[in-house]
């Protein structure tokens, strides 16, 4: 599921970078938001098979919180990259964002696992 959302991120990043004059930081925000919602939903439905309405809210809230962390970290990484390599191409900026987002994606998976795993039912205890 992470591979699918990463591919969507990359497609959005490259399309917006190629067809607009938007700075990479703006492109990163749009690509992160879109791919985070998709990735969270894919994990909720297929990875963790959490089908209740409550799991939608829990899964998206946890995932979007992690996406916010990822957005901050990838924005810092892109800002640093632009400072180090001011003439950097779109592909190299995408690779910097991918590296950062990959680490955050691992943390998101762990968070989703914690939030969406079935809750243990208390035993009868009689």
């Amino acid at each position: 599921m992470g591979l699918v959302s990463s591919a969507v991120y990359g497609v959005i990043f490259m399309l917006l970078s190629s067809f607009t004059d938007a700075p990479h930081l703006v492109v990163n925000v749009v690509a992160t938001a879109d791919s985070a919602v998709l990735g969270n939903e894919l994990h909720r439905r297929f990875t963790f098979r959490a089908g209740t309405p409550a799991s939608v809210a829990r899964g998206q809230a946890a995932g979007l919180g992690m996406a916010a962390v990822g957005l901050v970290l990838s924005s810092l990484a892109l800002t640093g990259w632009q400072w180090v390599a001011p003439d950097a191409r779109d592909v190299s900026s995408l690779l910097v964002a991918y590296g950062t987002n990959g680490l955050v994606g691992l943390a998101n998976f762990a968070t989703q696992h914690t939030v969406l795993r079935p809750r243990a039912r208390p035993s009868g205890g009689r």
Side-chain angles (χ1 to χ4, degrees):
M1 302 310 144
L3 184 61
V4 171
S5 63
S6 292
V8 167
Y9 175 92
V11 168
I12 293 170
F13 190 99
M14 292 306 291
L15 285 174
L16 289 176
S17 293
S18 297
F19 295 114
T20 71
D21 290 331
H24 287 147
L25 291 176
V26 172
V27 171
N28 184 46
V29 169
V30 174
T32 297
D34 290 340
S35 64
V37 170
L38 175 66
N40 294 336
E41 189 60 18
L42 290 173
H43 274 309
R44 186 187 70 79
R45 287 183 186 213
F46 300 110
T47 306
F48 301 113
R49 302 205 190 285
T52 65
S55 71
V56 174
R58 283 195 324 269
Q60 287 294 345
L64 292 176
M66 288 304 299
V69 170
L71 181 59
V72 169
L73 293 176
S74 61
S75 294
L76 289 171
L78 285 170
T79 299
W81 181 240
Q82 290 298 313
W83 184 75
V84 170
D87 296 326
R89 297 251 194 224
D90 295 341
V91 173
S92 67
S93 295
L94 175 62
L95 292 175
V96 167
Y98 263 155
T100 307
N101 289 337
L103 295 174
V104 174
L106 292 173
N108 183 39
F109 181 85
T111 301
Q112 292 286 334
H113 177 69
T114 301
V115 169
L116 295 175
R117 76 172 177 239
R119 303 191 192 276
R121 294 185 179 163
S123 60
R126 291 184 186 184

